[in-house]
């Protein structure tokens, strides 16, 4: 279903495509654990354009491509002519002549859309200022593993900055039919267009999405509490000011007291202990958080196999 298509946003996926990614990710993970190789991308090459830093995304895409029998090329903005002003539309057309797929991490979401418009090979969004779809698909797989129930029976609460993760959680929760609450300061709500689109998507699945400002009220009976950095990449200059604004949104023991007793806390990483999450809460949930990090590998293998496979 996804063959030859881009993966720019969870919103663009049909419900079948959305569930196909999660079930193939689960299957590929089980195969890898059983030592079974699956070289479905043999002879194929993925180009990975990074205009921002990364630990997990780079290593998991590169390793995933290798495990599927293909290879990956790390293309840093510092080395590409793109970084010296070559237009994205030219870069897209050139890279499409060499590669079978392009992954990009960048700032403006319009850059990914422009790349996808001009590329003739699938483009995968590996984080923009607006969205982080690969991470949220990964998180949903991790929730399935740890909660063992239907996603639609679960309540997930995001606490913190209404950023690219929050926007993608809205899209992911809408497709999964979940109850999702984002608790953010009033001036740091998720993107209004994303909220509108996600509310539309939610009608199809019965998901309940809400935006609030009180984190204590939000986490009541939560099955999953999730947070992210208060200052995303590109917002480093605002970090000190943000620390003050977001202080009431820290995920700590006291906040979690109102959640379900079996609540799990997730974090896409990197985490800033003492800011969005306390050391004790982080370490108490380390198993889930590092499964979440591992699952980037399996989820992205599924995305690459489905979009770039024959
Ligand atoms: N979570 C995530 O995308 O991590 P990196 O920035 O290290 O890739
Ligand atoms: N919101 C964070 C996510 C990092 C994976 C950022 O954009 O920096």
């Amino acid at each position: 279903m996804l063959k030859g298509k881009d993966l720019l946003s969870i919103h663009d996926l049909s419900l079948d495509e959305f569930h196909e990614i999660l079930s193939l990710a689960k299957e590929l993970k089980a195969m890898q654990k059983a030592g079974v190789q699956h070289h479905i991308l043999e002879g194929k090459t993925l180009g990975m354009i990074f205009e921002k830093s990364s630990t997990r995304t780079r290593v998991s895409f590169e390793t995933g491509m290798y495990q599927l029998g293909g290879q990956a090329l790390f293309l840093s903005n510092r080395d590409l002519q793109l970084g010296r002003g070559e237009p994205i539309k030219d870069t897209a057309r050139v890279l499409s002549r060499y590669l079978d797929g392009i992954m990009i991490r960048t700032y403006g979401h319009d850059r990914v859309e422009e790349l996808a418009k001009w590329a003739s090979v699938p483009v995968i969004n590996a984080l923009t200022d607006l969205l982080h779809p690969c991470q949220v698909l990964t998180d949903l797989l991790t929730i399935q593993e740890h909660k063992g129930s239907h996603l639609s029976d679960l309540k997930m609460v995001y606490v913190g900055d209404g950023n690219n993760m929050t926007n993608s959680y809205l899209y992911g929760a809408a497709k999964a039919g979940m109850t999702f609450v984002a608790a953010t300061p009033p001036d740091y709500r998720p993107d209004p267009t994303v909220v509108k689109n996600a509310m539309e998507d939610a009608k199809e699945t019965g998901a309940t999405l809400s935006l609030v400002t009180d984190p204590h009220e939000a986490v009541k009976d939560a099955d999953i509490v999730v947070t992210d950095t208060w200052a995303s990449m590109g917002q480093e200059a605002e970090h000190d000011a943000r620390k003050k604004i977001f202080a009431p949104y820290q995920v700590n023991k006291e906040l979690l007291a109102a959640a379900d007793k079996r609540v799990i806390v997730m974090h896409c990483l990197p985490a800033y202990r003492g800011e969005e999450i306390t050391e004790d809460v982080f370490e108490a949930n380390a198993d889930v958080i590092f499964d979440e990090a591992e699952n980037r590998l399996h989820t992205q293998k599924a995305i690459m196999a489905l979009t770039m496979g024959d």
Side-chain angles (χ1 to χ4, degrees):
M1 279 178 285
L2 272 167
K3 190 173 160 200
K5 291 194 189 170
D6 304 313
L7 196 137
L8 306 192
S9 163
I10 296 174
H11 174 58
D12 300 335
L13 298 170
S14 70
L15 284 181
D16 284 346
E17 288 167 345
F18 171 78
H19 289 292
E20 190 181 26
I21 293 171
L22 293 181
S23 67
L24 182 60
K26 192 174 162 197
E27 208 179 304
L28 290 172
K29 181 170 183 175
M31 286 173 73
Q32 198 221 342
K33 300 286 176 199
V36 181
Q37 296 198 345
H38 198 16
H39 285 173
I40 28 180
L41 294 183
E42 193 160 359
K44 304 227 177 192
T45 306
L46 174 79
M48 309 189 301
I49 303 175
F50 281 94
E51 298 190 316
K52 285 177 175 171
S53 307
S54 167
T55 296
R56 283 143 287 271
T57 304
R58 179 186 174 175
V59 178
S60 56
F61 265 105
E62 194 162 333
T63 307
M65 200 56 195
Y66 175 76
Q67 289 180 3
L68 292 173
Q71 62 163 344
L73 289 178
F74 175 67
L75 305 169
S76 149
N77 197 36
R78 255 178 310 209
D79 308 320
L80 290 173
Q81 296 288 6
L82 184 67
R84 297 179 58 246
E86 184 168 18
I88 294 185
K89 63 180 184 178
D90 293 355
T91 306
R93 284 176 287 184
V94 170
L95 293 182
S96 297
R97 301 288 178 113
Y98 309 132
L99 301 169
D100 302 286
I102 306 170
M103 183 235 83
I104 178 165
R105 165 168 285 197
T106 187
Y107 291 87
H109 193 71
D110 54 337
R111 289 177 75 72
V112 174
E113 286 178 337
E114 174 86 348
L115 186 77
K117 180 176 165 195
W118 290 94
S120 57
V121 296
V123 170
I124 301 170
N125 175 5
L127 182 145
T128 62
D129 292 343
L130 187 71
L131 297 171
H132 197 1
C134 295
Q135 181 70 58
V136 167
L137 287 163
T138 297
D139 289 12
L140 295 173
L141 173 72
T142 312
I143 292 168
Q144 283 179 332
E145 289 176 350
H146 279 268
K147 285 292 175 186
S149 24
H150 291 296
L151 291 173
S152 56
D153 296 335
L154 298 171
K155 176 177 176 181
M156 171 162 56
V157 178
Y158 177 90
V159 179
D161 181 26
N163 60 15
N164 44 10
M165 285 300 298
T166 331
N167 292 333
S168 283
Y169 280 126
L170 279 161
Y171 281 152
K175 295 278 178 193
M178 298 177 87
T179 299
F180 177 75
V181 184
T184 68
D187 294 338
Y188 295 85
R189 287 184 190 268
D191 180 81
T193 306
V194 169
V195 173
K196 188 170 152 283
N197 292 340
M199 293 287 185
E200 277 302 309
D201 289 348
K203 288 185 190 156
E204 212 184 329
T205 60
T208 312
L209 311 176
S210 41
L211 308 181
V212 302
T213 53
D214 180 354
H216 290 89
E217 181 60 28
V219 301
K220 241 179 123 206
D221 301 325
D223 300 294
I224 305 113
V225 170
V226 62
T227 188
D228 185 22
T229 180
W230 290 339
S232 286
M233 289 180 273
Q235 297 172 333
E236 288 78 6
E238 297 172 35
H239 198 152
D240 285 345
R242 283 172 166 264
K243 275 201 238 176
K244 291 193 189 84
I245 296 163
F246 287 101
Y249 293 83
Q250 183 184 66
V251 175
N252 53 36
K253 247 201 230 148
E254 186 250 319
L255 179 72
L256 292 174
D260 184 82
K261 273 199 292 292
R262 286 153 305 165
V263 69
I264 55 170
V265 177
M266 298 179 68
H267 196 305
C268 68
L269 303 176
Y272 298 87
R273 292 156 166 93
E275 295 186 23
E276 75 274 8
I277 192 164
T278 52
E279 169 76 9
D280 57 342
V281 169
F282 183 97
E283 291 303 336
N285 289 276
D287 283 355
V288 181
I289 292 170
F290 292 106
D291 279 353
E292 181 184 359
E294 176 189 330
N295 284 341
R296 290 293 299 278
L297 172 71
H298 309 297
T299 308
Q300 289 158 191
K301 279 168 75 178
I303 292 168
M304 291 190 287
L306 292 167
T307 56
M308 295 168 61
D310 293 321

